């Protein structure tokens, strides 16, 4: 009588990696850029420099009542006397622009530039083709 033994099946498998080809992504960038200007007065320079929204004029020279809110998908730049200020120096709200400094001078022009990119869209206009992997099993 022969002793029982386990017989195992030997199998190998190989596969090729899937390959992606083609595909077109179309991105439309449509920023809303607005600019406002004001002139500093001595009354604005206290424990910081607070410029009320009503002190600003838009690009057409029209008085405004509210500044834009800081954009979630964008940024704003502040220029004092033509010099770009570091980001941490200013705080923008719809009511005012606050500069965390008193080292400014009455009569200096301030320009606020707000760039909002929330209207940026991206779409796949041509779907990519992805090949299925080839699997070979050898017994």
């Amino acid at each position: 009588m022969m002793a029982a033994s386990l017989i195992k099946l030997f199998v190998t498998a190989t596969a090729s990696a899937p390959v992606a080809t083609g595909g077109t992504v179309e991105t439309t960038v449509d920023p809303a850029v607005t600019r406002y200007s004001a002139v500093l007065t001595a009354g604005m320079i206290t424990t910081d420099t607070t410029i009320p929204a009503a002190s600003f004029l838009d690009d057409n020279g029209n008085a405004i009542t509210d500044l834009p809110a800081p954009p979630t998908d964008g940024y704003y730049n502040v220029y004092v006397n033509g010099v770009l200020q570091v980001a941490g120096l200013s705080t923008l709200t719809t009511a005012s622009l606050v500069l965390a400094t008193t080292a400014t001078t009455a009569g200096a022009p301030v320009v606020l530039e707000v760039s909002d990119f929330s209207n940026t869209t991206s779409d796949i206009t041509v779907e990519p083709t992805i090949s299925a992997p080839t699997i070979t099993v050898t017994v």
Side-chain angles (χ1 to χ4, degrees), residues 3-117:
S5 65
L6 180 62
I7 300 175
K8 298 184 206 175
L9 182 62
F10 179 74
V11 178
T12 60
T14 58
S16 64
V19 177
T21 59
T24 303
V25 176
E26 183 176 302
T27 301
T28 303
V29 179
D30 186 20
V33 179
T34 52
R35 284 174 293 280
Y36 306 92
S37 60
V39 176
L40 293 178
T41 64
M44 295 174 185
I45 306 167
T46 56
T47 56
D48 54 28
T49 301
T50 301
I51 311 162
S55 298
F56 283 92
L57 302 175
D58 66 15
D59 262 353
N60 297 319
N62 299 316
I64 63 167
T65 55
D66 293 314
L67 290 167
T72 302
D73 297 320
Y75 61 91
Y76 65 92
N77 288 322
V78 177
Y79 300 84
V80 177
N81 209 18
V83 178
L84 179 62
Q85 303 300 301
V86 295
L89 183 67
S90 59
T91 303
L92 174 64
T93 67
T94 57
S96 66
L97 175 67
V98 177
L99 305 177
T101 183
T102 57
T104 55
T105 305
V110 174
V111 175
L112 170 65
E113 176 184 56
V114 181
S115 299
D116 185 352
F117 290 87

Side-chain angles (χ1 to χ4, degrees), residues 15-21 129-134:
S16 64
V19 177
T21 59
T129 302
I130 301 175
S131 67
T134 302

